[in-house]
Amino acid sequence: MDASAAPTAIQVRDLVVGFGQRTVLDHLSLDVHRGEILGLVGASGGGKSVLLRTIIGLIPKREGSIKIMGMELDQAMLQGTQAIGRRWGILFQQGALFSSLTARQNVQFPMRENLGISESLLDELATAKLEMVGLSRDDGDKFPSELSGGMTKRVALARALALDPEIVFLDEPTSGLDPISAGDFDALIRTLHQTLGLTVFMVTHDLDSLHTVCDRVAALADGKIVAVGPMTNLLASTHPWVKSYFHGDRARVRAPSAN
Amino acid sequence: MSGGPLFSFAISGERVEFVATGPWIAAHAEALELLVSDVTSKAPAARSAAVNLSGIEQLDTLGAWLLERVIRVCKERGQETVVVGLSPRFCSLFDTVHELNRDPPASHAKPNRLIAVLEGVGRATADLRVDLLAFLDMFGAISMAILRVLSRPRSFRLTSAVHHLYRVGWQAVPIIALITFLIGGIIAQQGIFHFRKFGADAYVVDMVGILVLREIGVLIVSIMVAGRSGSAYTAELGSMKMREEIDALRTMGFDPVEVLILPRVLALIIALPILAFLGSMAALYGGGLVAWLYGGMSPDIFLARLREAISVTHFEVGMIKAPFMALVIGIVACSEGLRVKGSAESLGLQTTTSVVKSIFLVIVLDGVFAIFFASIGM
């Protein structure tokens, strides 16, 4: 728990992950520092989501080690996923809200299972979390099928933050949102990161998010991290894939405003 | 690592001072909540209050909210409240939480239990009307689709209809035959057992023949089909509705009733009479077998008595009912499928409703037919 004991929030070393004959991640290493927002970019189908899902223990790895908060992931999993589940929150791409529960019940679910607090405090906290992500008290009574795409992501974020985790994993948080909503969501992540002192690991394709939100960006190509550092470093990278990613047609449109 | 969180108060003159120390984080949620409610309720009334937070080591949203709660309670008591010693690193969190939960919770007054029961009855009654309308709506839509298909026969989805006929008809034959065979056997056994007491065991053939051909054959088969194929229809259409496939069809200019529902319902209307026929035969076979093995009645005698006991009318009564049963099952299954909303729970609910409702309606329809056939002397 001590902050000085583990300067890196997530440490990935020589990670190999594959399915059948295919190797998706090939001796990949990556560090995520405490309290930073790290953005992960990579080609579609290039293994970004696989990396994220391996770090959170949904996909088994073949080789290598993953340490979260200085704790070996394998051991943490052996001790039971609940202990580690309290220390991270995950925003899935489609929200993954429980469709039979209201938004408020979705946020309350992890708290109810883990905290052992009274019903009235649960209600207050859930409303507080919903308000923190920019929703109103009344939105809490809606079911996931009644929420818009942006609201679904916000509720999912509130649920990810329910237990005040140290690390938050975001899988394409702004995909499927209009540019204004996406911008608002980016600002929200930035604010929550500052207020709650979160470490954020974010998979994204959104160049604006990378520019405005991320402290550091890691680029994944050919199963390895080929470049990592602040955005300026990546823009200066000579790796062919990184070059085409940040200097392609779509990137050039926004480049003048970024600089 | 220090111990758990602490919270206490001290009184100095007109002022009460609360002191919070230790880690105020979710890991200690249970203890923190008790501590806060305990201390705030014990604290005496005073002119002003101060909350000293200099000893807080860790703070998260839960801790900050509990502290904010203390402050709000003090303010409600009319005390001037100040916060002292808040570490700068918690400032922004504390300020954020200060802004939250400001709207008063909507008052959810617990309704009177009697009124709640009455409300439930009222709503269920009103829902009946909605159910009836949904049924008629689907019936109308299917009729319209049939008219359209009759005017343009080439637009009929023959492949789809044959596919569904294979699924609800052909693939259902083994289980339907098995179940009706067993039912026929059981009826015969019970008949022989009880009729034998007054020497009337020969009449078991009449009972099996009439019962199976008029009622049991078609009824058992309809219930089986409602459970087996009706539920599948509801679940299929429901998940298509959830994944917006039906909306996609509609936007491409296709009528979902014509494309999805008509082939399914027609397949059911063709399959059910065939299954009912096969089922009745299997039941008679089962009855004959039991009469031979258990009752000692040779197959020749059984057939001869059967020929005397039943006429083609009994067979017609059973068969006439079959397509109507199929229509009811199909309409209920498809309209329930289209009423599925976004959640997984609603899919399960509508599938259950579909099966329960179609079995209920099949039995009601059977009763109506019984009255009808009795009054026309069939």
Side-chain angles (χ1 to χ4, degrees), chain B residues 24-361:
Chain B
W24 279 60
I25 53 173
H28 302 285
E30 207 172 346
L32 274 172
E33 191 189 5
L34 281 176
L35 208 57
V36 167
S37 66
D38 196 38
V39 170
T40 38
S41 63
K42 276 189 193 154
R47 179 86 57 78
S48 65
V51 183
N52 188 337
L53 305 179
S54 54
I56 298 252
E57 290 156 13
Q58 287 171 294
L59 187 71
D60 65 9
T61 332
L62 181 127
W65 170 247
L66 285 171
L67 290 169
E68 174 66 21
R69 229 181 173 192
V70 173
I71 295 168
R72 287 190 194 174
V73 167
C74 291
K75 284 189 175 156
E76 259 173 40
R77 288 180 186 165
Q79 299 165 337
E80 244 171 66
T81 313
V82 286
V83 177
V84 288
L86 179 65
S87 155
R89 64 193 167 117
F90 300 137
C91 261
S92 63
L93 174 61
F94 209 76
D95 291 344
T96 312
V97 170
H98 188 63
E99 301 300 321
L100 300 177
N101 255 329
R102 281 291 171 190
D103 310 328
S107 59
H108 287 297
K110 276 247 164 88
N112 185 329
R113 195 173 295 169
L114 180 68
I115 293 179
V117 169
L118 287 177
E119 185 187 333
V121 172
R123 283 188 191 282
T125 315
D127 283 350
L128 266 183
R129 204 182 123 251
V130 177
D131 284 357
L132 182 67
L133 282 180
F135 185 88
L136 290 177
D137 186 32
M138 183 52 68
F139 185 52
I142 292 175
S143 309
M144 286 300 292
I146 290 176
L147 286 182
R148 272 200 303 277
V149 164
L150 284 180
S151 66
R152 283 178 296 123
R154 299 195 62 179
S155 69
F156 180 64
R157 315 263 147 185
L158 186 64
T159 321
S160 169
V162 171
H163 168 74
H164 287 294
L165 189 58
Y166 172 74
R167 280 180 48 203
V168 303
W170 181 245
Q171 290 190 332
V173 168
I175 185 69
I176 297 263
L178 175 65
I179 296 223
T180 45
F181 171 79
L182 292 176
I183 298 264
I186 292 165
I187 292 174
Q189 188 271 335
Q190 288 291 308
I192 291 165
F193 182 78
H194 291 282
F195 285 1
R196 189 176 276 165
K197 288 177 193 160
F198 38 94
D201 46 351
Y203 285 102
V204 97
V205 182
D206 301 59
M207 184 178 80
V208 170
I210 294 174
L211 203 55
V212 163
L213 290 183
R214 282 187 83 104
E215 299 292 334
I216 296 291
V218 68
L219 203 56
I220 293 287
V221 168
S222 299
I223 290 173
M224 285 290 296
V225 166
R228 187 185 174 280
S229 310
S231 59
Y233 283 3
T234 309
E236 282 167 12
L237 291 170
S239 62
M240 286 188 198
K241 178 97 188 296
M242 278 164 82
R243 292 152 155 274
E244 299 177 325
E245 289 173 43
I246 288 177
D247 298 335
L249 262 181
R250 202 166 271 148
T251 52
M252 290 175 204
F254 294 104
D255 178 13
V257 176
E258 205 177 309
V259 177
L260 298 173
I261 293 174
L262 188 61
R264 283 182 165 78
V265 174
L266 275 185
L268 215 51
I269 291 177
I270 297 170
L272 211 141
I274 300 174
L275 290 174
F277 174 74
L278 292 175
S280 302
M281 293 306 115
L284 289 180
Y285 191 82
L289 209 59
V290 168
W292 183 28
L293 299 176
Y294 178 80
M297 184 187 285
S298 79
D300 291 338
I301 300 175
F302 183 87
L303 279 179
R305 283 211 58 96
L306 194 62
R307 213 168 280 146
E308 282 172 33
I310 60 172
S311 65
V312 104
T313 319
H314 296 303
F315 176 72
E316 280 171 0
V317 165
M319 284 300 125
I320 287 171
K321 289 192 275 193
F324 292 95
M325 304 284 197
L327 185 65
V328 166
I329 295 169
I331 291 175
V332 169
C334 295
S335 71
E336 292 299 325
L338 293 187
R339 285 164 87 182
V340 169
K341 300 194 183 62
S343 70
E345 197 185 14
S346 113
L347 181 61
L349 187 73
Q350 297 302 347
T351 310
T352 311
T353 315
S354 154
V355 173
V356 172
K357 209 185 268 178
S358 47
I359 290 178
F360 171 74
L361 285 179

Side-chain angles (χ1 to χ4, degrees), chain A residues 15-238:
Chain A
L15 182 69
V16 180
V17 178
F19 304 103
Q21 298 282 312
R22 206 165 76 92
T23 309
V24 181
L25 302 179
D26 183 15
H27 294 282
L28 177 148
S29 297
L30 176 67
D31 282 340
V32 182
H33 304 316
R34 251 170 202 278
E36 76 167 348
I37 302 185
L38 181 97
L40 180 68
V41 298
S44 296
K48 296 184 307 297
S49 290
V50 172
L51 175 57
L52 181 105
R53 294 172 79 87
T54 311
I55 294 176
I56 59 182
L58 291 176
I59 297 179
K61 60 182 166 39
R62 283 189 183 159
E63 283 174 42
S65 78
I66 298 172
K67 277 186 187 174
I68 293 185
M69 298 290 171
M71 199 166 26
E72 197 70 49
L73 183 70
D74 297 343
Q75 283 176 2
M77 285 293 171
L78 281 180
Q79 287 165 14
T81 43
Q82 280 217 318
I84 189 104
R86 289 179 65 149
R87 302 186 66 185
W88 69 36
I90 295 136
L91 168 65
F92 287 96
Q93 200 172 344
Q94 311 292 339
L97 296 177
F98 304 125
S99 57
S100 53
L101 303 179
T102 63
R104 178 174 291 109
Q105 287 167 336
N106 261 287
V107 179
Q108 284 172 345
F109 181 78
M111 298 197 252
R112 197 188 296 278
E113 297 297 314
N114 281 304
L115 296 186
I117 51 180
S118 70
E119 202 61 31
S120 63
L121 184 58
L122 268 179
D123 275 345
E124 288 168 12
L125 278 175
T127 308
K129 302 269 172 185
L130 287 172
E131 285 180 10
M132 272 173 107
V133 297
L135 295 169
S136 73
R137 177 189 291 275
D138 297 337
D139 293 332
D141 295 323
K142 289 182 183 154
F143 280 94
S145 53
E146 300 165 326
L147 299 171
S148 70
M151 283 162 86
T152 304
K153 299 237 170 186
R154 283 170 192 263
V155 175
L157 183 62
R159 187 180 69 178
L161 295 173
L163 293 173
D164 282 296
E166 292 152 76
I167 309 178
V168 179
F169 294 92
L170 310 174
D171 193 358
E172 306 209 9
T174 54
S175 73
L177 300 186
D178 68 83
I180 299 172
S181 308
D184 290 347
F185 204 80
D186 282 343
L188 175 69
I189 292 170
R190 188 93 237 178
T191 323
L192 290 174
H193 164 252
Q194 278 160 3
T195 2
L196 303 175
L198 298 170
T199 304
V200 180
F201 181 97
M202 174 162 132
V203 173
T204 187
H205 276 303
D206 191 330
L207 288 164
D208 290 291
S209 297
L210 292 171
H211 278 283
T212 53
V213 180
C214 297
D215 299 317
R216 289 197 310 149
V217 177
L220 177 68
D222 311 322
K224 288 190 173 64
I225 298 291
V226 291
V228 63
M231 200 58 196
T232 42
N233 289 17
L234 266 90
L235 289 172
S237 167
T238 52

